Amino acid sequence: MRRVGFGTEGRFSRMRTYLDLLRVPSAARLLGGTLFGRLPNGMGALAVLLTVRADGAGYGLAGVLSAVYGLATAAGQPVLGRWMDRRGQTGVLIGSAVVSAAAYGVFAVVGVYPLPVAVVVVLIAGFTTPPLEAGLRALWPSVLTQERVQAAYALDAAAQEILFTVGPLIVVLVTQVASAQAAVWLTGLIGVAGTLVVATSAPSRRWRGEAHTPHWAGALRAPGLRVVLLAFTLAGTALGVLSVAAVAYADREGSDALAGVFLASMSFGGLLGGLAHGVVAWRSAPVARLSWFLLGLTVCYLPLVAVPGPWLMMPLAVLSGLFLAPAIACSFTMIDELAPQGTVTEAFAWLVAAIGAGSALGMAVAGWAGEVGGARGAFLAAGVGAGLGLLVFLVGRGRVISNVIHFEGITDPELSRNGTSAA
């Protein structure tokens, strides 16, 4: 992987890129509002699980309803993303946030019984989660210069690691201080508050998708995009696996707190990796970098299989997170270039859905692997998932490259988005 070298002065200069980015009008508001509004992504499943348990139901039903919520969230993102490409951001974001919050409220009042009602409102709460993540990535090119867009992608990917540490902590704290139902209420209200910060901003109100003739397949008609999505679905299973494997490891060591420490350490590694990726002046193309990042992700998961004591396990957890944010940031650039005209928000939303669906699948796989091989088997499953994602991307790499080259040379406005090559 080739990159431009730079000394100490160059490193500080590149680090200032983040500060300069946040000084751009509306940039800090958009990033901060999106991160705050996406806290429910890290809160919802746990809030549902704790509420079900508070109503006296078992872990089996609690797990099923949490999985329903996660899969509904993944399914709703591309649907709402396509709607935003056609109708603009403001109405879709605010409308979906309000509906989702209302569903959270009903669930907080009704609880798990009657069960059909609980299933329906959990489905609605997840499916109508506002697509803030995809919307922000669609907004960046209209707010920032091209150089700063790449830094914004890196900062976005790095900062989202905080969500999955802070979100669950908020739920646990509110549950202990008040109740699980209060945590459900708060999840919905935070989603509305963060969404309003973004949706009422001038860039969001002005933004409109590129003119295009709707196609039933939407963004998925780009073959290179399908390759990237499948690769991240498989790699995303590792995230679900690790959330379960962390609990198995904590049980093995006899300390429940170690599960949270492990996941926080992994998120810290992702934060470091994402920030570092954004300050390097990369010369290699995104498609080449992503191959290396997925390889790094796979290799760094494998040492976890040794399941050493906590003093060694936590540094390994930091190491395991280093390549995740760079891989995601790299995929942002590729998706922006692969998406057919007028489908950019939907394309980004598909990536969110792919990782979410993979994570849900990973939780199921980890349960089976943990039964067979304990914590060691669960951690091995994470490495296998990342490795399969790498294999899919390497096999389909030619389609990704030809997809971009095809877009560059074509004059059909239904397919051509821009003239920037990812190859």
Side-chain angles (χ1 to χ4, degrees):
M1 208 168 22
R2 295 172 295 131
R3 61 183 176 86
V4 175
F6 46 83
T8 304
E9 183 178 347
R11 279 196 295 272
F12 283 117
S13 176
R14 295 291 296 174
M15 286 298 292
R16 282 198 298 269
T17 299
Y18 292 133
L19 296 177
D20 293 340
L21 184 160
L22 294 175
R23 292 191 185 102
V24 173
S26 299
R29 174 177 178 174
L30 291 172
L31 180 61
T34 297
L35 291 174
F36 186 69
R38 286 172 54 207
L39 274 174
N41 293 9
M43 298 171 63
L46 181 58
V48 168
L49 187 149
L50 293 178
T51 299
V52 174
R53 289 290 296 144
D55 279 357
Y59 280 108
L61 180 57
V64 168
L65 279 179
S66 294
V68 165
Y69 170 84
L71 291 173
T73 302
Q77 293 298 290
V79 174
L80 295 172
R82 182 180 292 198
W83 197 8
M84 276 202 327
D85 281 325
R86 296 180 181 179
R87 302 292 184 182
Q89 291 197 356
T90 305
V92 177
L93 286 176
I94 295 177
S96 60
V98 169
V99 172
S100 183
Y104 278 122
V106 173
F107 181 65
V109 171
V110 174
V112 74
Y113 301 111
L115 184 57
V117 175
V119 171
V120 169
V121 293
V122 165
L123 273 170
I124 294 173
F127 191 88
T128 57
T129 298
L132 289 166
E133 188 174 359
L136 177 65
R137 290 161 197 166
L139 276 177
W140 282 136
S142 67
V143 176
L144 305 171
T145 63
Q146 183 60 32
E147 181 185 73
R148 284 176 175 167
V149 166
Q150 305 312 309
Y153 285 159
L155 184 59
D156 180 9
Q160 71 179 339
E161 297 293 330
I162 301 172
L163 300 178
F164 297 100
T165 301
V166 175
L169 290 176
I170 293 174
V171 171
V172 171
L173 178 62
V174 172
T175 299
Q176 291 179 343
V177 173
S179 65
Q181 289 78 11
V184 172
W185 277 107
L186 183 62
T187 301
L189 293 175
I190 286 176
V192 172
T195 299
L196 286 174
V197 172
V198 175
T200 57
S201 68
S204 181
R205 287 186 284 109
R206 288 195 303 261
W207 188 89
R208 293 293 182 275
E210 296 171 288
H212 69 291
T213 302
H215 187 281
W216 69 270
L220 293 182
R221 66 187 187 271
L225 180 62
R226 295 197 297 269
V227 171
V228 173
L229 294 177
L230 179 56
F232 271 91
T233 300
L234 292 168
T237 61
L239 300 180
V241 166
L242 289 172
S243 65
V244 176
V247 176
Y249 177 76
D251 288 341
R252 177 181 181 272
E253 295 295 320
S255 173
D256 292 341
L258 284 178
V261 175
F262 177 90
L263 295 175
S265 299
M266 191 172 66
S267 295
F268 180 66
L271 178 63
L272 292 179
L275 293 176
H277 175 265
V279 300
V280 174
W282 298 100
R283 185 182 300 167
S284 55
V287 70
R289 297 204 304 274
L290 185 56
S291 301
W292 286 103
F293 292 150
L294 289 174
L295 175 61
L297 200 63
T298 303
V299 170
C300 289
Y301 282 151
L302 294 179
L304 299 174
V305 177
V307 288
W311 290 107
L312 180 56
M313 192 61 162
M314 297 314 147
L316 289 178
V318 174
L319 180 66
S320 73
L322 283 178
F323 288 95
L324 179 60
I328 293 175
C330 197
S331 71
F332 296 164
T333 302
M334 294 177 61
I335 286 178
D336 190 39
E337 295 167 348
L338 290 169
Q341 179 171 318
T343 66
V344 64
T345 310
E346 180 191 345
F348 281 127
W350 273 115
L351 178 64
V352 177
I355 296 174
S359 180
L361 175 62
M363 290 182 181
V365 170
W368 173 81
E371 288 289 337
V372 174
R376 192 183 304 273
F379 283 119
L380 179 61
V384 170
L388 289 174
L390 169 64
L391 180 62
V392 165
F393 185 74
L394 291 177
V395 171
R397 188 173 181 270
R399 288 191 176 186
V400 177
I401 294 173
S402 62
N403 193 162
V404 176
I405 292 174
H406 178 63
F407 281 5
E408 283 186 316
I410 203 165
T411 56
D412 182 356
E414 281 305 297
L415 295 178
S416 179
R417 285 202 75 253
N418 54 52
T420 304
S421 174

